[in-house]
Amino acid sequence: MFSSKIEGNTLDLNSLMNKGALSKGKKKELEEIDDLVLGYKFAQSHNLNERNLLIIHRIISKKILSKNRQGTYRKEPVGVFGSGGLEYMALENHLIKNEMSLFFSEIEKLLNKKMGNDEVFFWSL
């Protein structure tokens, strides 16, 4: 539920427990949370790799992005804005594909490496 708030979902746990009484607008928000649950379940049963990340993105973005943007890296610049203006600028969109490929290359190396508990803990942070 809490990760859905990033995209503006207003449901709380109480609303979720009383889903039969939700208004039509809130039912869309409930569907967003249902999609997140499906994405989390997919992640638990599939390997951590770039292809599966994009599948998860497609699953969890069904209600919040147009079909052609689901399961793809963004093509536009984005940032976080506050009352004082721009607070954080995300990675430039033309760099995302390469950076994600590098990221998953490192993940693959770590997944194939024999590590002790200390090293596993270090890389999990």
Side-chain angles (χ1 to χ4, degrees):
M1 287 207 46
F2 296 105
S3 60
S4 68
K5 297 209 179 291
I6 294 169
E7 297 298 332
N9 193 301
T10 62
L11 291 182
D12 57 20
L13 188 55
N14 188 43
S15 300
L16 186 62
M17 301 305 286
N18 297 305
K19 52 183 156 186
L22 292 174
S23 67
K24 186 177 182 178
K26 296 293 181 183
K27 289 190 191 283
K28 179 185 178 289
E29 291 185 72
L30 179 61
E31 290 172 348
E32 291 173 8
I33 292 171
D34 289 342
D35 288 345
L36 281 172
V37 171
L38 289 173
Y40 296 151
K41 286 181 179 179
F42 182 93
Q44 289 175 329
S45 61
H46 290 79
N47 291 331
L48 177 59
N49 58 45
E50 189 171 12
R51 178 183 163 274
N52 287 338
L53 173 80
L54 293 173
I55 290 171
I56 292 166
H57 185 270
R58 187 173 63 241
I59 293 168
I60 68 173
S61 64
K62 283 182 188 173
K63 303 291 184 286
I64 57 176
L65 292 177
S66 60
K67 190 161 182 78
N68 66 327
R69 293 177 63 202
Q70 297 168 14
T72 64
Y73 294 125
R74 64 179 166 79
K75 295 173 177 57
E76 62 281 328
V78 297
V80 175
F81 294 85
S83 59
L86 181 65
E87 293 182 9
Y88 171 79
M89 184 69 181
L91 179 68
E92 294 177 45
N93 49 302
H94 66 277
L95 300 174
I96 295 171
K97 174 69 176 146
N98 185 59
E99 291 300 315
M100 291 303 290
S101 292
L102 291 171
F103 173 71
F104 278 104
S105 174
E106 289 301 312
I107 295 246
E108 185 176 353
K109 288 177 196 171
L110 290 170
L111 289 173
N112 291 317
K113 183 178 178 184
K114 289 238 184 241
M115 294 185 271
N117 289 341
D118 290 347
E119 200 172 7
V120 169
F121 181 73
F122 172 80
W123 287 107
S124 70
L125 299 175

